[in-house]
Amino acid sequence: MGTERPETTGLFTLEDYEEAARVRFDQGSWDFIAGGSGQERTLAANLAAFDRVRLRPRALSGSGAPDTKTTVLGRSWPVPIAVAPMAYHTLADPEGEVATARAAGRAGLPLVVSTFAGRTFESIAEAASGPLWLQVYCFRDRSTTRQLVERAERAGFEALVLTVDAPRLGRRLRDLRNDFRLPDGMVPANLTGGDYASPSAHALTEFDPALDWSVIDWLREISSLPVLVKGVLSGVDARAALRAGVDGIVVSNHGGRQLDGAPATLEVLAEITAAVGGACPVLVDGGIRRGADVLAALALGADAVLLGRPVLHGLAVGGENGVAHLLELIIEELVEAMALTGTPSVAETGPSLVGAEPTAAARAARPGPPGHATGLRKAELHSSLADPVLDTMNFLNEVTTRYPQAISFAPGRPYDGFFDTEQIFTHLRRYLDHLEAQGASPGQVRSALFQYGPTSGQIRELIADSLRKDENTDVAPESIVVTVGCQEAMFLAVRALISGPEDVLLVSSPCYVGITGAARLLDVIPTAVAERESGFDCADLEAAILAERARGRRPRAFYVIPDHSNPSGTTMPLQTRLDLLDLAQRHDILLLEDSPYRMVSPGQQLPTLKSLDRHRRVVQLGSLSKTLFPGARVGYVVADQTVVDTDGRTGLLADELAKIKSMITVNTSAVSQAVVAGMLLAADGRTSELNTETAAYYGDAMRVTLEELAKQFPAAEREALGVRWNEPTGGFFLSLTVPFQADNAALIRSAEEFGVIWTPMSYFYPDGGGEHAVRLSVSYLTHQEIADGTQRLAHFIKSQSQTARG
């Protein structure tokens, strides 16, 4: 390699630097830096993956100058870019890592220093003004690794990055064909003894091929520095890393230099960030050549990127100044990409920014005319499909299915021990007899089962009768719409009441995900009203209403579950109910009341908001899933509010909801309505009496759960751990506070290692929150399963608490 440096002013891209750098190296050294393993398929895939990404520009976004700052491991970075670990920077420039450290420091960016650096840790640290991390290979002789880590920590390095994808080096054909040897006199400056001339031969003899996840514990024993792992390419390994207690993950295929045919890092990034669930930072390297590539990686969930080979190109072309200029180029490109996509800050990136072309496999699976791509881009689908709330139930179902031996406190479904298949036919027959007794002809009876029936429902009279007898709620059948479960009732109410962006739907938070999911499908962003630890407080709702009005918006409705709430299990006191109705009247809003657990809870229940409603301020969203049976999928909405049209004609809100329903489900299954009607007739409309045994069962389940929790966490231990829970008087759910982040990663560990499943409470907070709490459902478990499950849960909580404390 020569010593002349061309001017950097004629170089405008990282590709320009690569071309300029090629002539600065002899062939063997260039191939050592540029090459990959095998036929270099993964090396090419890294670049191709970014080439397929399409960023979506935004016009007139008003986002202003982009904010590129981010925070990783508690350290603020001006840009989400760091220099990746690479051996022997001295191949590109005699100053090697010292020059790179000065250039990275000028930009304020971290440098990850390789175990095989050509300059000493101390000289690099003296030159650096930005953060330094040490990339660690674990040698067969652990004392060698220990000495490296201790030296780096003394020199001021801030983190360890353990390479986990190299039990041996990949077969690098370019190096084999060149019989590559390091130039005379070039050695790893921080290692002593040994023959380092052939990097592959040295790795084969010195790297520990039997490493397992226990090495993380060992590193923590010898160092106080945070530990990241580099070389993760699957969600499975990401979860294993979290269980091992790592502080960060680097999605990496070693620059295409290990297993040839491994996926491109960008292709698996979304899978890994989903598996991590925000439990630790996720960084990515491999194939990044533009600022737009950095933005694409951030959009798919990365917290930052590591830039590799281009840094050596800059070093070879212009030494310290070459690296500094190259970093300026990619930072400027990132700023440009953020501005043109309307991305105001790194924190506000997301999947909607990118739309990748279909892969060859996807095109083969969905053939079309030559050159015609038939796959769909998720970024072009409705934005709500990228909202995590829509993945909540699917994720829980997937976890439950994946670990069938685990005891699950997650599903809030009724216990099916009370169901008898033959009852369906008995109830159906009873309703048909009822129709005949009322004078229906055989043709009319047949039509009641086989035809669509009225959109508003054909059993409204029976539901109205049940509400009068069970709830002391006297409403006309015409004010009821029979729906496909309560979920459709929510959808109808939100669609009718929220007419534009100035209208506001308020929700009590934590909140049942059904209402927030329905809102997001309708492009409505709910305003969360946070519950206090003691439950809902009207003062908080009033403050939220006034704040929205101050912003020029119109609060329209407030959604709440006053009885045995899902997810928290809290119940609203009578005085609070009266105050809430008064507040609704004063501020001219409607209340969306959802109370599915009243009739299946023991003891005397407080009156519903609707039964106390004297000014038609309450729209009641009802479900017969818990009180009768969930498979029928029959719910209802009571909407007796008057609606006046522009000509002064009046009608009911229920009529407007029925119009919407006619364009969605047309009607609720006539057969389902018939079976439900038969059950109501059997109980003379009194579902409370029908559920006496059921309510006692659920009450016992809640009692046993609370007793078992108290047994597993004696008062002193509970206080020491910071564990506490509420004590609901009914319903299916209770909330448990824990001293660690109860996220998806913790849930997976709980299921895999301890055999118990629960629901993160964070799922239920529309504006964030609940990170240190879990929801337990007690409805579906026997007393023995509750005892076993709480014991497993206690073991998990105590283990996870120790991990969180470090």
Side-chain angles (χ1 to χ4, degrees):
M1 210 180 97
T3 58
E4 295 181 9
R5 308 281 189 202
E7 293 295 326
T8 62
T9 53
L11 305 176
F12 300 103
T13 67
L14 272 62
E15 186 178 11
D16 290 345
Y17 266 99
E18 182 175 4
E19 290 303 313
R22 187 186 297 268
V23 298
R24 311 296 297 177
F25 292 90
D26 61 66
Q27 189 63 46
S29 296
W30 175 257
D31 284 345
F32 174 71
I33 289 171
S37 62
Q39 280 70 50
E40 300 187 345
R41 293 174 295 165
T42 298
L43 178 66
N46 280 344
L47 296 168
F50 281 104
D51 288 343
R52 287 195 298 270
V53 169
R54 297 293 178 264
L55 293 173
R56 302 177 68 80
R58 287 282 308 280
L60 301 177
S61 67
S63 57
D67 180 4
T68 61
K69 293 191 295 296
T70 193
T71 300
V72 178
L73 297 181
R75 184 77 126 89
S76 179
W77 298 6
V79 183
I81 300 172
V83 177
M86 293 170 290
Y88 305 116
H89 289 214
T90 43
L91 280 171
D93 181 90
E95 285 196 299
E97 291 80 5
V98 168
T100 305
R102 285 198 296 260
R106 284 161 60 177
L109 304 186
L111 165 64
V112 187
V113 178
S114 171
T115 288
F116 292 96
R119 300 296 300 269
T120 65
F121 296 156
E122 292 78 11
S123 62
I124 298 169
E126 185 177 354
S129 56
L132 295 176
W133 293 358
L134 174 65
Q135 176 269 330
V136 178
Y137 284 112
C138 209
F139 296 103
R140 295 175 192 265
D141 180 1
R142 287 286 178 94
S143 65
T144 300
T145 307
R146 178 194 290 268
Q147 290 167 8
L148 289 170
V149 169
E150 290 173 345
R151 273 185 61 190
E153 190 164 5
R154 285 196 302 271
F157 284 49
E158 298 180 11
L160 305 177
V161 182
L162 174 68
T163 293
V164 296
D165 62 355
R168 58 174 288 165
L169 290 189
R171 185 175 173 81
R172 301 171 187 176
L173 297 179
R174 294 201 208 189
D175 292 350
L176 291 173
R177 289 168 178 147
N178 293 327
D179 191 22
F180 178 70
R181 295 288 188 275
L182 292 171
D184 290 343
M186 186 171 293
V187 294
N190 300 287
L191 294 168
T192 58
D195 181 5
Y196 301 103
S198 170
S200 59
H202 173 264
L204 189 62
T205 59
E206 299 298 331
F207 285 6
D208 184 352
L211 278 185
D212 59 27
W213 290 106
S214 66
V215 70
I216 305 299
D217 289 334
W218 179 75
L219 285 172
R220 293 198 182 285
E221 289 173 6
I222 67 171
S223 171
S224 63
L225 298 180
V227 179
L228 300 89
V229 290
K230 176 178 176 288
V232 172
L233 289 174
S234 71
V236 171
D237 277 350
R239 289 189 287 270
L242 290 177
R243 291 196 299 273
V246 303
D247 298 288
I249 288 173
V250 182
V251 181
S252 175
N253 53 34
H254 218 102
R257 293 160 72 85
Q258 284 299 101
L259 176 63
D260 191 32
T265 51
L266 193 70
E267 293 172 344
V268 297
L269 177 58
E271 172 193 342
I272 292 169
T273 56
V276 169
C280 72
V282 175
L283 294 82
V284 63
D285 67 15
I288 295 157
R289 295 296 183 270
R290 317 169 188 87
D293 297 345
V294 178
L295 184 57
L298 299 177
L300 291 173
D303 293 285
V305 305
L306 300 180
L307 187 65
R309 291 179 177 91
V311 171
L312 295 183
H313 301 156
L315 191 61
V317 170
E320 175 189 338
N321 290 335
V323 175
H325 182 243
L326 181 139
L327 293 175
E328 289 172 6
L329 287 178
I330 195 167
I331 292 169
E332 180 57 34
E333 288 175 352
L334 171 61
V335 171
E336 177 186 86
M338 291 176 68
L340 295 178
T341 56
T343 306
S345 69
V346 167
E348 295 174 74
T349 56
S352 61
L353 277 175
V354 299
E357 292 180 358
T359 64
R363 286 193 293 269
R366 303 180 64 182
H372 175 68
T374 58
L376 297 176
R377 298 176 181 177
K378 189 167 182 178
E380 294 176 348
L381 303 179
H382 191 264
S383 61
S384 66
L385 298 176
D387 194 308
V389 72
L390 269 69
D391 290 324
T392 298
M393 292 303 107
N394 286 338
F395 176 76
L396 282 177
N397 290 337
E398 187 258 334
V399 170
T400 301
T401 302
R402 195 192 314 167
Y403 305 104
Q405 302 307 313
I407 294 174
S408 180
F409 287 98
R413 59 180 177 174
Y415 176 59
D416 60 14
F418 297 112
F419 302 147
D420 182 347
T421 305
E422 292 302 315
Q423 290 176 338
I424 292 179
F425 305 104
T426 302
H427 297 316
L428 183 59
R429 182 73 258 172
R430 182 180 295 109
Y431 178 60
L432 299 183
D433 291 343
H434 168 74
L435 292 179
E436 290 177 2
Q438 288 190 320
S441 67
Q444 289 172 324
V445 172
R446 183 173 61 248
S447 179
L449 283 182
F450 287 96
Q451 292 296 347
Y452 293 114
T455 297
S456 294
Q458 60 191 29
I459 63 169
R460 294 187 292 170
E461 290 81 4
L462 293 175
I463 292 175
D465 179 61
S466 177
L467 288 172
R468 184 168 55 256
K469 293 173 178 175
D470 270 338
E471 307 281 19
N472 196 29
T473 298
D474 194 358
V475 293
E478 293 75 20
S479 68
I480 296 172
V481 178
V482 183
T483 58
V484 181
C486 191
Q487 194 64 40
E488 186 185 30
M490 295 177 195
F491 190 93
L492 298 179
V494 173
R495 177 65 296 162
L497 296 175
I498 308 300
S499 63
E502 74 282 358
D503 287 340
V504 180
L505 171 67
L506 302 112
V507 298
S508 186
S509 177
C511 181
Y512 171 55
V513 295
I515 188 69
T516 50
R520 286 296 292 115
L521 290 172
L522 294 168
D523 288 321
V524 175
I525 308 296
T527 295
V529 181
E531 284 188 1
R532 305 182 185 191
E533 191 160 339
S534 58
F536 168 77
D537 192 297
C538 287
D540 299 323
L541 174 59
E542 188 162 31
I545 291 171
L546 295 174
E548 290 292 356
R549 286 197 174 131
R551 296 173 56 200
R553 303 182 74 202
R554 181 175 63 160
R556 291 285 282 150
F558 173 60
Y559 171 88
V560 66
I561 302 178
D563 299 292
H564 320 298
S565 174
N566 178 7
S568 65
T570 59
T571 293
M572 186 183 293
L574 176 59
Q575 187 57 53
T576 304
R577 296 173 194 239
L578 296 171
D579 293 343
L580 178 57
L581 287 164
D582 177 66
L583 185 153
Q585 178 69 6
R586 287 189 289 107
H587 286 285
D588 190 24
I589 67 167
L590 293 176
L591 304 176
L592 304 182
E593 178 185 22
D594 180 11
S595 287
Y597 306 102
R598 290 171 51 78
M599 294 298 105
V600 290
S601 295
Q604 185 68 36
Q605 300 302 310
L606 292 171
T608 64
L609 293 172
K610 189 62 184 172
S611 70
L612 298 169
D613 184 16
R614 301 294 175 261
H615 302 286
R616 297 191 180 184
R617 286 291 164 187
V618 178
V619 176
Q620 188 172 21
L621 310 172
S623 170
L624 297 170
S625 291
K626 310 301 186 294
T627 51
L628 298 181
F629 73 106
R633 299 302 303 133
V634 174
Y636 58 89
V637 54
V638 179
D640 58 352
Q641 290 72 24
T642 300
V643 176
V644 183
D645 68 15
T646 54
D647 296 325
R649 292 188 295 267
T650 62
L652 292 173
L653 177 59
D655 299 328
E656 308 305 317
L657 301 184
K659 292 177 186 176
I660 302 171
K661 178 178 172 61
S662 71
M663 293 291 112
I664 302 174
T665 58
V666 182
N667 76 312
T668 303
S669 163
V671 175
S672 290
Q673 289 188 71
V675 176
V676 163
M679 297 183 78
L680 292 174
L681 289 166
D684 189 29
R686 302 179 190 278
T687 62
S688 54
E689 295 181 5
L690 190 66
N691 283 283
T692 301
E693 183 184 355
T694 309
Y697 177 89
Y698 293 135
D700 281 346
M702 181 65 74
R703 175 184 55 78
V704 170
T705 303
L706 294 172
E707 289 174 354
E708 292 294 332
L709 284 172
K711 184 188 302 183
Q712 295 297 331
F713 295 99
E717 184 178 21
R718 191 186 318 169
E719 185 175 353
L721 283 171
V723 173
R724 63 184 186 277
W725 55 86
N726 61 341
E727 298 187 3
T729 57
F732 291 2
F733 308 104
L734 63 90
S735 175
L736 180 74
T737 300
V738 294
F740 52 83
Q741 195 154 23
D743 52 18
N744 287 352
L747 173 57
I748 294 294
R749 184 188 182 215
S750 179
E752 284 185 352
E753 297 183 25
F754 296 86
V756 62
I757 297 171
W758 36 267
T759 305
M761 278 290 283
S762 58
Y763 288 177
F764 304 98
Y765 285 78
D767 286 348
E771 291 86 359
H772 294 275
V774 305
R775 186 194 76 172
L776 301 182
S777 172
V778 304
S779 62
Y780 199 69
L781 301 175
T782 66
H783 291 183
Q784 187 59 54
E785 288 171 329
I786 290 171
D788 293 343
T790 51
Q791 184 179 54
R792 296 181 187 185
L793 181 66
H795 290 161
F796 163 71
I797 289 173
K798 293 168 187 178
S799 173
Q800 192 77 0
S801 300
Q802 289 180 342
T803 301
R805 288 196 298 266

